[in-house]
Amino acid sequence: MDTITNEKITIRTTVHAPIEKVWETWTSPNHITAWNFASDDWHAPFAENDLRTGGSFRCRMEARDGSMGFDFGGTYDLVDPMKRIDYTMEDGRKVNVTFTETENGVDVAETFDPEQTNPRDMQRDGWQSILDNYRKYTETV
């Protein structure tokens, strides 16, 4: 059994695309709805984004069969275009996203406070699946 701790979780990927495209697909609602879910049996029918320090965002994630869904949202603590986004989720947990240009593309790393209900590995794997879906989408759009 996985012990739940408050230690932050970090996930990452490298997106083989220019930083401008990586930033656009990460932050634009019409792109967010195309990738912000962990598996093909889910989707994101709605997203809004006020991308500025102090602004807020919201995205709806739902099972395609309508059996479950939830809203994911928060408030931006810092927006440094094409470099970093820090935000606080509605439940108070903190998230930091960095975008680092390399010769292979853009490294995207997300570090987040875990919630205290589900095992860490389940949280890490779920967030990593969404990040992997983002990478695949951005590289093909």
Side-chain angles (χ1 to χ4, degrees):
M1 181 165 161
D2 192 10
T3 303
I4 296 175
T5 67
N6 289 328
E7 185 178 325
K8 293 182 179 291
I9 297 171
T10 298
I11 58 168
R12 55 181 25 102
T13 194
T14 299
V15 183
H16 302 286
I19 185 66
E20 296 82 6
K21 182 178 183 182
V22 167
W23 184 259
E24 174 69 18
T25 56
W26 187 271
T27 60
S28 176
N30 63 312
H31 289 297
I32 293 168
T33 57
W35 62 260
N36 199 18
F37 42 90
S39 61
D40 289 340
D41 55 341
W42 280 70
H43 68 141
F46 171 80
E48 63 184 9
N49 195 15
D50 181 10
L51 185 66
R52 62 181 174 82
T53 300
S56 62
F57 66 92
R58 178 165 316 284
C59 181
R60 177 75 183 165
M61 298 174 173
E62 293 180 353
R64 289 191 187 272
D65 67 6
S67 62
M68 63 176 60
F70 61 93
D71 291 328
F72 179 82
T75 302
Y76 291 114
D77 302 313
L78 172 74
V79 176
D80 185 359
M82 292 184 258
K83 293 182 181 162
R84 180 176 172 151
I85 298 173
D86 294 348
Y87 63 89
T88 301
M89 291 185 274
E90 292 172 332
D91 64 5
R93 293 182 295 136
K94 302 282 189 178
V95 180
N96 165 259
V97 187
T98 57
F99 304 85
T100 306
E101 287 184 272
T102 71
E103 46 185 60
N104 293 324
V106 179
D107 289 341
V108 180
E110 273 187 281
T111 300
F112 63 95
D113 294 329
E115 43 96 347
Q116 298 300 302
T117 304
N118 294 298
R120 291 175 58 82
D121 60 345
M122 181 180 170
Q123 294 177 63
R124 182 192 62 245
D125 293 349
W127 283 57
Q128 184 68 55
S129 291
I130 294 169
L131 187 59
D132 291 345
N133 201 34
Y134 162 76
R135 177 187 46 77
K136 286 182 235 167
Y137 171 77
T138 300
E139 290 177 351
T140 58
V141 70

